[in-house]
Amino acid sequence: MSDITTYREVQAEIVRRITDGPWGPGTLLPGEVELAAEFGCSRTTINRALREVSDLGLLDRRRKAGTRVRMAPVRQARFEIPLARAEIEATGAAYAYRLLQRAIEQGPDWLTAHMGPLDRVLHILCLHSADGVPYQIEDRWINLGALPQAADQDFAATSPNEWLVATVPFSQVEISFQAVSAGPDEVTHLGHSPAAPVFRVERTTWWQGAAITHVRLSHRAGYRMTTRY
Amino acid sequence: MSDITTYREVQAEIVRRITDGPWGPGTLLPGEVELAAEFGCSRTTINRALREVSDLGLLDRRRKAGTRVRMAPVRQARFEIPLARAEIEATGAAYAYRLLQRAIEQGPDWLTAHMGPLDRVLHILCLHSADGVPYQIEDRWINLGALPQAADQDFAATSPNEWLVATVPFSQVEISFQAVSAGPDEVTHLGHSPAAPVFRVERTTWWQGAAITHVRLSHRAGYRMTTRY
DNA sequence: CAGTGGTCTAGACCACAAC
DNA sequence: TTGTGGTCTAGACCACTGG
């Protein structure tokens, strides 16, 4: 009974015991009731502390089996994916948007492979700039079967990214990052030299089982995506 | 009073009202007490539901000010950063590790700029392979001032990454992703052609205010880091 | 089948910040 | 100053799952 009563204090003590204390990898922790007695607080408090430490990736909790210290902690990082406008304006630079291309197409094969069967697709190519310097290319496909009202937007002044954020909810998202060589679009519009490394983010969004949109964001040279925690 | 009693049901209803219902961006939500009365559940349940929706990035909660729908939802993604071994073995391939270089050095300037003042630094270069094919280069610096016992490890059989995961806790981490051109190490050890795009992860770890280690992970060609949520 | 975590409740006090 | 979310409590029932 040590009168550690807030869930944050409990949390800190749990983490301490795991990281440099007696609870090495694989240890089975005492049950919640027992810990509540030890710390002199309610089971609810212990539960919240353990739940959050579990969310951090340090613990594995299962009914009946109990709470166990993970053999290898799951290392995870959380990134905020900002709108280009917000990212640019946050640096104090002037944001500009330009539509490069807009067409209604059949989805190419690689896209249907990714999004599922598609009929008509709105294909948009546009550019985000910071103080006049090209910053990011947005290459986007919108499934008109799932989102017909997109066809009425001309996207001359507003980027599809912003319009979609304001218009469409999302139930599932897949994001991937990779390094690729600059292609014709990056050379022409971002000013990359051919075959320069490009940081590319791809995101596909589903709503109620239907694929809504897929986007490729190609970043300016030297771009870094960073997070701390 | 609608007898939505579990926090998950409340959560789903809240999200529904935000995404395609009456609670557009900027809306001030009713207080927790009022919502509890409406849903016919306890305030605790409402609180948990709102807290989690807030963690999703859809709500902004402040004491006295109340709960408000964010104007632009914060889009965030969570990535698991796996050990190379786990990542490779998960594909069914045979994992192999090879130490390429091990030396005690003065920290280069860019490193001290990043980690703070350094005295002696253990510098390790090693390679992770899948079925004999180079998969990832680990280029690591360990601050011997903060972690002297690292000097006793030869890292001939175990990668510094795995040793550190098992040995060192961390209090703060910075991770960044970027695309770079292949350098001599990537050409020699990963088999990249010169100037090929390389996906690079950099991670710096602190413990109790002291920088412990910094690592650059360079991935094989075509590598993607993906997450769904 | 029994033990563990998962969750809900009703009530209470507190801390912060907007007014 | 005062309203709002933040948190704790004691107790209860439930759901999952390991033995």
Side-chain angles (χ1 to χ4, degrees), chain B:
Chain B
M1 171 63 136
S2 42
D3 282 78
I4 292 179
T5 46
T6 77
Y7 84 93
R8 286 180 184 283
E9 286 169 331
V10 173
Q11 213 176 311
E13 175 61 14
I14 302 279
V15 170
R16 198 195 61 73
R17 291 190 189 180
I18 294 172
T19 53
D20 58 7
W23 293 347
T27 305
L28 179 65
L29 269 58
E32 298 190 345
V33 181
E34 194 174 333
L35 287 172
E38 187 203 335
F39 287 122
C41 63
S42 78
R43 200 195 131 206
T44 312
T45 301
I46 298 291
N47 181 274
R48 179 161 184 194
L50 289 176
R51 178 156 31 91
E52 296 203 356
V53 176
S54 174
D55 287 343
L56 281 177
L58 295 176
L59 293 174
D60 187 27
R61 314 195 74 200
R62 272 180 331 208
R63 281 162 155 133
K64 171 71 181 179
T67 300
R68 211 171 268 283
V69 179
R70 294 195 110 100
M71 298 303 288
V74 178
R75 306 213 160 193
Q76 43 196 1
R78 214 156 105 167
F79 288 82
E80 294 197 357
I81 315 285
L83 290 174
R85 173 197 290 278
E87 202 169 18
I88 289 168
E89 289 178 346
T91 69
Y95 170 78
Y97 163 78
R98 190 152 61 92
L99 178 65
L100 300 173
Q101 183 187 312
R102 181 186 185 283
I104 293 178
E105 305 175 358
Q106 303 274 355
D109 286 347
W110 65 264
L111 189 63
T112 58
H114 203 66
M115 295 178 70
L118 297 169
D119 185 21
R120 294 191 316 148
V121 184
L122 180 60
H123 182 192
I124 307 277
L125 187 68
C126 56
L127 180 67
H128 304 269
S129 307
D131 280 341
V133 179
Y135 184 85
Q136 183 188 91
I137 296 178
E138 177 178 346
D139 190 1
R140 181 177 292 273
W141 285 264
I142 300 173
N143 178 4
L144 290 176
L147 199 67
Q149 62 268 41
D152 303 329
Q153 294 288 320
D154 63 9
F155 297 116
T158 307
S159 79
N161 205 349
E162 288 190 54
W163 181 76
L164 286 160
V165 163
T167 308
V168 183
F170 56 89
S171 50
Q172 192 165 44
V173 180
E174 180 181 299
I175 297 189
S176 76
F177 298 156
Q178 63 179 329
V180 298
S181 292
D185 284 341
E186 284 85 10
V187 171
T188 307
H189 303 299
L190 283 182
H192 281 291
S193 56
V198 173
F199 186 81
R200 181 175 285 173
V201 177
E202 295 195 60
R203 183 169 62 222
T204 311
T205 306
W206 289 265
W207 171 242
Q208 295 174 339
I212 300 292
T213 181
H214 177 82
V215 65
R216 284 183 171 173
L217 301 172
S218 299
H219 290 78
R220 64 165 216 286
Y223 181 81
R224 266 175 190 261
M225 178 162 278
T226 302
T227 192
R228 272 174 171 266
Y229 58 89

Side-chain angles (χ1 to χ4, degrees), chain A residues 47-218:
Chain A
N47 181 275
R48 180 161 183 195
L50 288 176
R51 179 155 32 91
E52 296 202 357
V53 175
S54 174
D55 287 343
L56 281 177
L58 294 177
L59 292 175
D60 187 27
R61 314 195 74 199
R62 272 182 327 205
R63 281 167 157 129
K64 171 71 180 180
T67 301
R68 211 171 268 283
V69 179
R70 294 193 111 100
M71 297 304 288
V74 177
R75 308 213 157 193
Q76 43 196 3
R78 218 156 104 164
F79 289 82
E80 292 196 359
I81 315 284
L83 290 173
R85 175 196 290 278
E87 200 170 19
I88 288 169
E89 289 177 345
T91 69
Y95 169 80
Y97 163 78
R98 190 154 60 91
L99 178 65
L100 299 173
Q101 181 188 312
R102 182 186 183 284
I104 292 178
E105 307 175 356
Q106 303 274 356
D109 286 346
W110 64 264
L111 189 64
T112 57
H114 203 66
M115 295 178 71
L118 297 168
D119 185 20
R120 293 190 318 147
V121 184
L122 180 59
H123 183 193
I124 308 277
L125 186 68
C126 57
L127 180 67
H128 305 270
S129 307
D131 280 342
V133 179
Y135 184 86
Q136 181 188 95
I137 295 177
E138 177 178 345
D139 191 2
R140 182 178 291 274
W141 286 263
I142 300 173
N143 178 6
L144 290 176
L147 199 67
Q149 63 267 44
D152 303 330
Q153 294 288 319
D154 64 7
F155 296 114
T158 307
S159 78
N161 205 350
E162 287 189 56
W163 181 76
L164 286 160
V165 164
T167 308
V168 183
F170 55 89
S171 50
Q172 191 165 44
V173 179
E174 178 181 299
I175 296 189
S176 76
F177 299 156
Q178 63 179 330
V180 299
S181 291
D185 286 342
E186 285 84 11
V187 171
T188 307
H189 303 299
L190 283 181
H192 280 291
S193 55
V198 173
F199 186 82
R200 181 175 285 173
V201 176
E202 295 195 61
R203 184 169 61 223
T204 310
T205 305
W206 289 264
W207 170 243
Q208 294 173 341
I212 300 294
T213 181
H214 177 82
V215 65
R216 283 183 172 173
L217 302 172
S218 299

